[in-house]
Amino acid sequence: MLFDPKPKVKREDIFDREEELKKVMDSIKNYPITLILGIRRVGKSSVLRVALNESDAIGIYIDARKLYMNVSGWITKDELKRELESALLNLKPKILKSLQSYFNLAKFSIKGFELSFREKSLADILENLNEFGEDRNKLIVLAFDEAQYLRFYGTKGGREFLALVAHAYDNLPNIHFVLTGSEIGLLHDFLGFENYEALLFGRIYNEITIEPFTREKSIEFLKKGFDEANLKVSEWELKKAVDVLDGIPGWLVEYGFHYLHSNDPQKALEYTMKKARQSILEELKELERRSKRYTLILKAVALGFNRWEKIKEYLETHSGRITNARFSSLLKNLERMSWIKSELKDGKKVYSMTDPVIERVLRE
Ligand code: ADP
Ligand code: MG
């Protein structure tokens, strides 16, 4: 169902994205590392999961954000292993059964759904998986959703994770990685492909960006979702919803979902904005733990202050003086986390919000 608010896993539940799916599936096959980038709620997890389902490769899906949320402080090796175990247990029993001998574990019971890697290193586990892949002539795809959270793996800013990826890249040809990220600059900085001091420097990777739907596509998407539910909704209503919600599938699905339950377009839009407000406030709370000033800066940009000086002025009227260096670093961080974007106009940087719904919520 198109208006199901969970990430999609089956092709028939996903609207459009033919091109993106093809790109991801080709990339999974041909590149050792694939990045899927795009702002929150644009559909990265959905495209990833459908691609893993459709591909010939054996896909192993791990949600790095969930992994991070489950721990206090650092993600440990044992936690990552546990996540990997449960991801493997989601594989088809037939594959799991034939994997068994490769792991060479004393404790491996498929019937009781038990699999314990306690005595194995992660590098060993990857080597076993690679060997299995070689014998079966299959690629093993390790997919880490919201991979920027893996910078919290171990105590060295995620270096041990990157070392693992580098090891697999150099030695385990049947293992490929897919990493998604909503915080695009952060993910790039973490992986460090362009940083000659970083572990993954110079490695080959392919990048696919998922963009929001165009206005036409957004309207078509809503229409198709309502058709699916046998509901007639006037073109005018759809346009009005898209005026407010723009082309981010996550918000459009929310709207469709509420419409189906309330049968009232006005209410559905109100609910959607209310839900949006809640999620955005949650996300801002996470940001504010790092600096209270982030929200004020975002508010300034949402209100239309789009130049460095103007945003700084707004911030200083609301929270006191700040040094240029400190302010620049906060602004840059918001851009790295994809809350805002910048472009050059007449040689000067102009800032704007990446998500029009967040912009609307912050303007209230
Ligand atoms: P992301 O991983 O980028 O944050 P998700 O894949 O979780 O985004 O998608 C956000 C929401 O939008 C989910 O409810 C998902 O079902 C829906 N969605 C995203 N893309 C599509 C699509 N192409 N067709 C239908 N629903 C989609
Ligand atoms: Mg996601």
Side-chain angles (χ1 to χ4, degrees):
M1 202 184 76
L2 286 180
F3 291 158
D4 183 345
K6 288 198 285 292
K8 308 297 196 282
V9 289
K10 286 192 261 149
R11 189 188 277 263
E12 62 265 31
D13 289 332
I14 197 170
F15 173 77
D16 196 53
R17 300 298 192 205
E18 296 297 325
E19 214 174 293
E20 289 88 343
L21 268 171
K22 185 174 180 324
K23 276 193 198 159
V24 171
M25 288 178 55
D26 286 346
S27 183
I28 285 178
K29 216 187 290 169
N30 299 319
Y31 288 84
I33 303 173
T34 298
L35 307 187
I36 303 179
L37 306 175
I39 57 174
R40 282 190 182 178
R41 293 170 274 259
V42 81
K44 298 176 299 298
S45 300
S46 301
V47 167
L48 166 63
R49 304 208 61 166
V50 173
L52 289 178
N53 256 344
E54 298 263 309
S55 124
D56 290 331
I58 296 175
I60 298 168
Y61 172 86
I62 291 179
D63 184 346
R65 181 163 196 271
K66 190 177 128 226
L67 199 56
Y68 169 70
M69 290 299 167
N70 284 346
V71 303
S72 50
W74 315 117
I75 303 167
T76 65
K77 207 185 300 160
D78 283 338
E79 271 139 5
L80 181 55
K81 278 200 256 177
R82 214 171 312 137
E83 233 10 75
L84 194 57
E85 283 165 17
S86 60
L88 286 170
L89 290 173
N90 281 331
L91 293 174
K92 293 195 186 88
K94 221 174 97 193
I95 297 174
L96 199 52
K97 187 120 188 115
S98 43
L99 256 172
Q100 179 168 14
S101 58
Y102 287 83
F103 288 129
N104 200 10
L105 291 169
K107 201 170 157 201
F108 189 107
S109 137
I110 291 163
K111 259 220 182 93
F113 287 106
E114 206 179 340
L115 169 67
S116 173
F117 286 144
R118 216 167 314 148
E119 66 266 44
K120 279 205 165 245
S121 76
L122 278 159
D124 279 347
I125 298 169
L126 294 196
E127 264 155 39
N128 296 155
L129 285 170
N130 183 66
E131 206 184 322
F132 173 78
E134 272 176 359
D135 290 352
R136 303 282 154 139
N137 205 9
K138 285 248 181 213
L139 275 175
I140 315 286
V141 178
L142 289 173
F144 291 92
D145 210 355
E146 299 294 355
Q148 70 277 1
Y149 283 97
L150 291 167
R151 71 189 188 282
F152 298 111
Y153 178 72
T155 51
K156 300 192 196 92
R159 266 187 78 83
E160 289 121 316
F161 176 78
L162 299 177
L164 209 63
V165 176
H167 170 71
Y169 185 106
D170 293 340
N171 305 298
L172 310 173
N174 278 62
I175 296 206
H176 284 182
F177 291 88
V178 183
L179 310 169
T180 83
S182 294
E183 301 180 300
I184 297 164
L186 255 183
L187 181 63
H188 270 143
D189 290 350
F190 169 48
L191 298 173
F193 291 118
E194 274 84 40
N195 170 5
Y196 68 91
E197 286 175 351
L199 278 159
L200 291 178
F201 173 67
R203 300 295 205 290
I204 297 165
Y205 68 99
N206 186 37
E207 192 171 288
I208 294 151
T209 302
I210 313 282
E211 301 284 354
F213 293 148
T214 60
R215 188 179 164 78
E216 293 70 45
K217 276 266 187 276
S218 304
I219 294 171
E220 200 188 316
F221 172 58
L222 289 179
K223 214 182 271 168
K224 194 157 173 217
F226 287 126
D227 273 350
E228 213 181 58
N230 284 322
L231 207 64
K232 269 235 137 330
V233 179
S234 76
E235 181 97 6
W236 184 82
E237 284 304 346
L238 301 183
K239 282 186 176 153
K240 205 171 110 193
V242 173
D243 282 341
V244 176
L245 301 172
D246 209 71
I248 296 167
W251 301 131
L252 295 171
V253 164
E254 193 81 37
Y255 171 74
F257 182 78
H258 289 311
Y259 201 142
L260 297 187
H261 288 84
S262 65
N263 218 340
D264 176 335
Q266 192 53 36
K267 266 212 182 102
L269 208 49
E270 277 165 25
Y271 276 152
T272 306
M273 288 309 287
K274 193 170 152 209
K275 252 322 254 304
R277 211 167 292 125
Q278 278 168 359
S279 338
I280 292 162
L281 288 180
E282 276 305 305
E283 288 159 20
L284 286 175
K285 241 196 268 161
E286 215 181 303
L287 258 189
E288 285 189 351
R289 264 192 276 148
R290 286 176 258 172
S291 166
K292 287 256 182 268
R293 289 187 167 115
Y294 280 134
T295 308
L296 279 169
I297 297 178
L298 288 175
K299 194 150 183 143
V301 178
L303 286 170
F305 298 96
N306 59 5
R307 294 281 172 96
W308 191 95
E309 302 81 20
K310 294 282 171 217
I311 303 167
K312 182 164 181 271
E313 221 173 276
Y314 179 94
L315 180 64
E316 289 193 321
T317 16
H318 289 83
S319 76
R321 281 190 62 76
I322 181 169
T323 64
N324 286 350
R326 175 77 184 131
F327 172 65
S328 282
S329 132
L330 291 176
L331 198 61
K332 188 157 166 258
N333 281 344
L334 286 172
E335 195 171 353
R336 287 163 72 231
M337 293 184 273
S338 308
W339 285 88
I340 59 175
K341 57 180 191 262
S342 69
E343 57 191 327
L344 282 178
K345 269 198 192 135
D346 307 323
K348 279 211 125 195
K349 260 196 183 170
V350 175
Y351 294 89
S352 58
M353 299 294 293
T354 50
D355 178 338
V357 173
I358 298 183
E359 182 175 331
R360 198 174 279 269
V361 165
L362 283 167
R363 270 206 311 255
E364 285 168 359

